[in-house]
Amino acid sequence: MTTVPDALVSIDPPHDPPPRTIYRSLSGEDVIDCHPRDIAQLLADGGPMWVDIDSSVRSQHAMLEKVFRFHPLAIEDTLNPNSRVKLEEYEGFLFVIIRGVALAADTDDPYDLETKELYCFLGPHYLVTVHAGPMVSIDRVSEQLRRSPDLLARGVERALHAILDDTIDSFFPIMQQIDEFIDGLEERVFVDFDETALRDLFHVKRLVLSLRRYLQPSREVMNVLTNRPSTLLTPDVQIYFRDIYDHVLRINDALDTYRDLLSSTMDAYLTQVSNRLGATTKALSVVATMSLPFVVVSGMWGMNFSTIPLSGWPHGFWVLLVVQLGLGGLLLFYLRRRRLL
């Protein structure tokens, strides 16, 4: 796959940063961050090469068409921030879309997620990654390869494995925070009966469902990379992708467990609210039962008649008080005996 160097003149504005490039020649010489005009020649030489392109820089993104000659549909997908996670096989290269996740640092919601698409083109001896703006997983792998460029000599497939592995592993810090939240949720719900726990529980449950929705397509992609025969992935290399597939399954199982725990905790919280409401209603019923004789008797002897029994008796008030208390006690005893209270 070669390109006329003059084609790069129109895509190499003087102020645009060049793409990150790591190249290992067949003679063992390393080239790091070369000029964009040299990428076509390095590509023709046939050594393993990784080119990282920032799609927000137009001159870099134009290299996908003018240098690498990728399929227009694949190039179009790299400009769509909502592309579906998938793996497609074109003539001469594999096209992989994966989604990285992280907790948003610039929002007030501690459970707000931010996602970023990563597009990978895997050829016979080259790997091209495309993303908009900085990406943590790419930065980590790039730093690793810059420290040890000889790792690229093992094959660009191993570089793709390192990038996908780091991208999938970005789920684990979020899982750790969810695990810590669930550990403290039991005390907040059952001991302190914290009313704000229900709001946080809804937020975390939404976070778990979002993570599961983002992870589910990656499961199929890793399954294909692990099991489908390909001229670009040998069985020895597919073993490494099996490790990523195991990570995806592990995260997916943990998310299912978290979802069930959060649903059970929510049901327990609502049951506790119902029980507390029932206890309060029962207490108010006791008060109403005890006050009923006072209302009836006091209402009868408070009527405006000239002649009322016991109205002239010096101890009439105390007799009526004892009668009211006695009636209240008998009514309470009857209700308890019938298990109505």
Side-chain angles (χ1 to χ4, degrees):
M1 185 178 294
T2 60
T3 301
V4 179
D6 293 340
L8 292 177
V9 175
S10 61
I11 63 171
D12 186 25
H15 301 295
D16 283 349
R20 284 186 289 193
T21 306
I22 302 177
Y23 174 77
R24 185 69 180 259
S25 67
L26 298 177
S27 60
E29 182 181 356
D30 298 321
V31 178
I32 297 179
D33 292 338
C34 63
H35 196 277
R37 291 191 180 92
D38 299 329
I39 293 180
Q41 183 59 46
L42 296 177
L43 189 63
D45 291 343
M49 178 173 61
W50 174 34
V51 180
D52 181 50
I53 291 178
D54 186 349
S55 60
S56 61
V57 181
R58 295 184 59 184
S59 62
Q60 295 186 25
H61 189 266
M63 295 177 63
L64 299 177
E65 177 185 0
K66 297 183 177 297
V67 176
F68 296 98
R69 307 292 188 183
F70 290 135
H71 196 281
L73 292 178
I75 297 177
E76 182 183 355
D77 282 339
T78 62
L79 296 176
N80 183 8
N82 298 317
S83 296
R84 181 176 60 88
V85 174
K86 62 182 178 179
L87 184 149
E88 292 184 345
E89 187 170 359
Y90 292 89
E91 184 178 357
F93 67 92
L94 289 177
F95 179 51
V96 180
I97 302 179
I98 202 74
R99 181 177 286 111
V101 298
L103 290 174
D106 54 350
T107 62
D108 296 332
D109 188 356
Y111 309 109
D112 192 16
L113 277 178
E114 61 179 5
T115 63
K116 182 164 289 189
E117 305 285 345
L118 175 63
Y119 312 90
C120 303
F121 297 85
L122 178 67
H125 56 83
Y126 64 85
L127 172 65
V128 180
T129 54
V130 184
H131 53 90
M135 194 166 184
V136 177
S137 59
I138 293 293
D139 294 340
R140 282 196 287 257
V141 176
S142 175
E143 183 180 354
Q144 180 183 0
L145 291 177
R146 288 170 187 273
R147 290 197 307 263
S148 303
D150 59 309
L151 295 176
L152 197 61
R154 301 177 184 177
V156 290
E157 304 90 347
R158 294 291 301 277
L160 175 63
H161 163 264
I163 292 172
L164 296 182
D165 187 36
D166 197 287
T167 303
I168 293 298
D169 285 348
S170 64
F171 281 81
F172 284 109
I174 305 176
M175 305 286 288
Q176 180 66 28
Q177 294 195 31
I178 296 176
D179 193 54
E180 293 175 356
F181 170 80
I182 293 178
D183 287 341
L185 188 62
E186 182 177 353
E187 182 177 356
R188 293 179 61 187
V189 171
F190 298 103
V191 178
D192 302 331
F193 195 66
D194 186 1
E195 295 182 359
T196 61
L198 185 61
R199 180 189 60 191
D200 292 339
L201 193 149
F202 273 111
H203 288 170
V204 175
K205 188 173 183 180
R206 183 189 63 186
L207 172 62
V208 169
L209 294 177
S210 298
L211 288 173
R212 193 173 185 274
R213 177 165 55 90
Y214 294 144
L215 182 72
Q216 200 67 25
S218 302
R219 178 177 178 177
E220 180 62 26
V221 170
M222 297 307 164
N223 185 32
V224 172
L225 289 174
T226 302
N227 299 309
R228 178 186 293 178
S230 173
T231 57
L232 298 174
L233 294 174
T234 63
D236 293 339
V237 175
Q238 286 182 317
I239 293 176
Y240 291 92
F241 288 97
R242 189 183 304 167
D243 178 66
I244 306 179
Y245 183 60
D246 290 340
H247 288 180
V248 172
L249 294 180
R250 175 184 168 190
I251 296 172
N252 187 74
D253 292 341
L255 289 175
D256 288 341
T257 301
Y258 291 152
R259 183 185 59 180
D260 294 339
L261 284 175
L262 291 171
S263 298
S264 299
T265 304
M266 185 182 302
D267 293 340
Y269 179 87
L270 296 177
T271 301
Q272 190 175 6
V273 170
S274 178
N275 292 338
R276 285 175 173 254
L277 179 61
T280 302
T281 304
K282 184 177 180 179
L284 293 177
S285 299
V286 172
V287 173
T289 301
M290 294 295 298
S291 61
L292 182 61
F294 289 88
V295 173
V296 174
V297 176
S298 300
M300 291 178 61
W301 263 261
M303 292 185 293
N304 192 18
F305 290 110
S306 57
T307 302
I308 297 178
L310 304 179
S311 61
W313 193 29
H315 304 291
F317 170 79
W318 300 108
V319 171
L320 291 179
L321 180 61
V322 171
V323 170
Q324 292 175 88
L325 290 175
L327 291 175
L330 289 175
L331 186 58
L332 184 61
F333 175 77
Y334 172 78
L335 293 177
R336 284 186 176 275
R337 187 70 177 270
R338 299 295 300 270
R339 296 183 179 179
L340 299 177
L341 286 179

